[in-house]
Amino acid sequence: MSEQLMGWKRTDYCANFTIEDIGKPVTLMGWVQTRRDLGALIFIDLRDRSGLMQVVFDASKFKGDFSQVEGLRSEFVIAVQGEIVKRDDETINEKLPTGLIEVKVEALKVLSKAQTPPFEIEDGSKVRDELRLKYRYLDLRRPELQQVLMMRHQIAQVTREYLNDNGFLEIETPMLIKSTPEGARDYLVPSRVHPGAFYALPQSPQIYKQILMVSGYDKYYQITKCFRDEDLRADRQPEFTQIDMELSFVEADDVMAVNEGLIKSIFKSALDKDIETPFKRITYKEAMDRYGSDKPDTRFGLELVDVSDLVKDTDFKVFASVVAKGGSVRAINVKGAVDTFARREIDALVDFVKIYGAKGMAWISMKSEGMQSPITKFFTEDQLSALLKEVDAETGDIIFFVGDTDKIVYDSLGNLRLKLAEKLGLIEEGTYDLLWVTEFPMFEYSE
RNA sequence: GGCCUGGUAGUUCAGCUGGUUAGAACGCUAGCCUGUCACGCUAGAGGUCGAGGGUUCGAGUCCCUUCCAGGUCGCCA
């Protein structure tokens, strides 16, 4: 049965105590993370959103019914009263921020018992999404997820602080709006008072922020939900939050400067990272030509090389005809990686680029015992040496080629580039390289 | 809508060319244990192998249908 607090007040969160608090009487409340039952001595790791604290129940010191302690199980919600004590040197836990101390418990209240959870509440959980969502309230107890939501809070706060300091007004705009198509499908909400008519949910507050500018509010922002009724991706939800803003009487550089400052503040506050400003800028065209993407990851090389001119007059008809039709042939040289890619792995990469519409992919392996490639036989010696020079080929390299329309070449090599970087471990975790991509085309070909 | 991968114990997974009683780890239950922190030791419970049909002497395994999930392309700034 559950007990009431009956006047117990929590002293502080579990992980907020330090060696400064030794000797203090405290009251803690939280969830049972783990229990280690040694008989007349029972350890409980008590968890709340701050972290863990080891609490110790010693049968000879505990002032309540010890069988109640023996009955504690995972995820019981309990309150304990006791004293913060220093741990003996040999019982210090260096893995725990609170590992120098523990709570010697005198009194216990079981506030809520719990059934055995359907999965363990721990970081790095590999439980399938469906089950996690069914028991969302349990999944959200994981420290990992609590960190994520706490970081969101932090980001929202620093965003408000920064934009407020820069003269922006936070203004809400309507959620039930007239459909203003932006390209994505709108979510629709049936109207009760106008049968047969529908509201749309905003894909962005675009129209409303423009009204605000026309009306003279000058600088506006809003941390707001947006909705797009399209299929999901691992990194794309139909409902998402964006920091929306609009400024009057400014030019592109002013908008970029404000955002650089905002992003710098967010990185500092949320990750304690110092970001250099101003950010690098590259044009859309340069991004596509060098990385095959309009949102390039510039933390590693593997840049694309346009070899269209060098293959357009060769006997390799596939490449020659692609160039003749206005497409291009581009290459990625993976330096020193020839032994990383056995024939089977090359074939897997060929299949990979086919996802993006490529009909195939050619390669040249610069093995120490000689070149291997399905295409070099089509080239004259001069053509081949010019090609190898252009891609900076040396012994040990492997070079991949895709020839097609620009769109397919960019898509397939741009994605191949990311896959290669992942496979080769070229992206250092926790590093950032921010940049602006400018001069986006006003229109795109629709095919 | 297309393609790929998967669905076996509470969870994560293994289960080969079809062959006795479907396994492991963690979790769970019971007992023992006063310094554990992945506690340990002993014992134990736990399965409609997603569903339906077919092939076969025999199906978790092969075939068909279907449902569900994840990823991805299309789509989407």
Side-chain angles (χ1 to χ4, degrees):
Chain A
M1 60 218 135
S2 301
E3 297 174 87
Q4 304 294 314
L5 285 176
M6 301 298 286
W8 284 26
K9 299 263 187 252
R10 178 169 55 192
T11 311
D12 204 341
Y13 291 122
C14 291
N16 286 359
F17 296 97
T18 68
I19 45 173
E20 305 291 313
D21 299 303
I22 288 167
K24 288 184 187 165
V26 294
T27 303
L28 296 185
M29 298 174 190
W31 286 257
V32 173
Q33 176 69 30
T34 50
R35 78 174 205 285
R36 292 178 290 279
D37 183 346
L38 279 66
L41 188 67
I42 296 177
F43 299 94
I44 297 285
D45 288 335
L46 191 64
R47 185 193 72 235
D48 63 23
R49 75 182 204 197
S50 71
L52 297 176
M53 172 67 80
Q54 172 164 284
V55 302
V56 191
F57 298 85
D58 184 330
S60 62
K61 310 248 173 58
F62 185 67
K63 291 179 179 154
D65 177 2
F66 203 69
S67 69
Q68 197 185 17
V69 181
E70 290 167 339
L72 292 177
R73 292 293 181 272
S74 286
E75 298 308 308
F76 277 28
V77 181
I78 62 172
V80 297
Q81 285 188 333
E83 182 189 345
I84 301 274
V85 297
K86 188 176 188 310
R87 295 202 198 186
D88 292 340
D89 286 351
E90 61 273 18
T91 63
I92 287 171
N93 185 348
E94 287 170 4
K95 286 183 261 179
L96 216 56
T98 56
L100 292 171
I101 54 175
E102 63 193 10
V103 175
K104 202 136 239 163
V105 181
E106 293 174 1
L108 164 72
K109 282 181 188 290
V110 176
L111 302 176
S112 180
K113 295 189 175 187
Q115 295 177 348
T116 302
F119 50 83
E120 290 159 66
I121 312 298
E122 61 185 6
D123 281 349
S125 170
K126 290 193 295 181
V127 178
R128 62 178 191 277
D129 292 355
E130 194 185 5
L131 199 66
R132 290 174 53 186
L133 290 169
K134 179 174 178 185
Y135 298 99
R136 186 63 164 159
Y137 54 95
L138 298 180
D139 197 36
L140 285 170
R141 289 179 189 177
R142 293 165 47 213
E144 230 170 26
L145 288 193
Q146 298 206 331
Q147 293 302 325
V148 167
L149 290 186
M150 289 192 276
M151 184 184 281
R152 276 181 79 106
H153 164 79
Q154 182 67 24
I155 290 170
Q157 293 315 306
V158 71
T159 297
R160 290 200 164 91
E161 192 180 321
Y162 176 87
L163 292 174
N164 294 347
D165 288 350
N166 281 272
F168 285 77
L169 301 172
E170 181 174 8
I171 301 174
E172 290 180 88
T173 55
M175 281 289 120
L176 294 171
I177 67 174
K178 187 177 162 70
S179 180
T180 55
E182 290 229 10
R185 262 186 297 270
D186 284 324
Y187 274 104
L188 297 175
V189 180
S191 165
R192 179 182 59 84
V193 290
H194 298 105
F198 293 83
Y199 298 98
L201 299 179
Q203 297 180 29
S204 87
Q206 189 64 28
I207 297 292
Y208 295 94
K209 68 181 175 187
Q210 288 168 350
I211 289 173
L212 290 170
M213 292 306 102
V214 169
S215 304
Y217 290 86
D218 204 80
K219 288 178 182 170
Y220 133 98
Y221 77 95
Q222 179 181 198
I223 299 173
T224 190
K225 275 288 170 67
C226 299
F227 304 88
R228 289 172 190 162
D229 188 6
E230 299 291 345
D231 291 349
L232 298 93
R233 285 287 190 286
D235 60 351
R236 208 173 66 200
Q237 294 78 38
E239 173 187 347
F240 59 94
T241 303
Q242 75 181 29
I243 301 171
D244 193 69
M245 65 175 78
E246 193 63 80
L247 302 74
S248 293
F249 306 112
V250 293
E251 296 180 295
D253 283 350
D254 301 311
V255 176
M256 287 193 256
V258 164
N259 279 281
E260 283 167 349
L262 172 60
I263 289 165
K264 189 183 175 75
S265 304
I266 290 173
F267 270 77
K268 184 64 188 173
S269 147
L271 297 171
D272 197 28
K273 294 258 183 205
D274 290 303
I275 297 291
E276 292 293 313
T277 54
F279 301 162
K280 282 186 295 187
R281 296 186 191 185
I282 66 173
T283 63
Y284 174 89
K285 183 176 186 321
E286 185 182 353
M288 297 307 284
D289 281 342
R290 291 174 62 189
Y291 305 107
S293 167
D294 63 3
K295 49 176 195 319
D297 189 334
T298 53
R299 291 175 296 177
F300 62 96
L302 296 181
E303 295 190 17
L304 279 56
V305 181
D306 187 348
V307 296
S308 304
D309 287 345
L310 299 174
V311 298
K312 68 178 196 292
D313 298 320
T314 63
D315 288 339
F316 189 43
K317 297 299 175 214
V318 175
F319 282 178
S321 70
V322 153
V323 178
K325 279 187 245 166
S328 60
V329 178
R330 292 166 203 264
I332 291 179
N333 182 354
V334 191
K335 302 296 287 183
V338 70
D339 294 325
T340 311
F341 297 98
R343 184 57 196 264
R344 183 190 304 176
E345 279 147 317
I346 294 175
D347 289 343
L349 293 175
V350 173
D351 286 339
F352 175 77
V353 297
K354 285 178 180 170
I355 296 171
Y356 304 96
K359 288 164 208 68
M361 180 165 71
W363 76 92
I364 300 177
S365 291
M366 305 291 290
K367 300 227 177 205
S368 47
E369 65 267 25
M371 227 176 283
Q372 285 179 9
S373 170
I375 58 167
T376 45
K377 63 189 173 204
F378 297 107
F379 302 142
T380 66
E381 218 163 284
D382 286 350
Q383 287 169 338
L384 182 59
S385 64
L387 184 64
L388 294 178
K389 182 159 181 290
E390 184 67 21
V391 300
D392 185 30
E394 298 172 303
T395 301
D397 297 351
I398 180 165
I399 304 110
F400 296 103
F401 300 83
V402 172
D404 212 302
T405 61
D406 280 339
K407 179 177 173 4
I408 289 175
V409 172
Y410 288 143
D411 273 357
S412 50
L413 287 183
N415 282 293
L416 178 68
R417 187 176 164 267
L418 295 174
K419 190 173 180 70
L420 290 169
E422 189 190 344
K423 187 176 169 62
L424 298 168
L426 298 180
I427 302 170
E428 195 187 332
E429 191 79 16
T431 63
Y432 302 90
D433 189 32
L434 281 68
L435 80 164
W436 294 104
V437 177
T438 61
E439 295 173 45
F440 266 62
M442 299 287 279
F443 301 100
E444 251 180 358
Y445 283 102
S446 111
E447 302 183 9

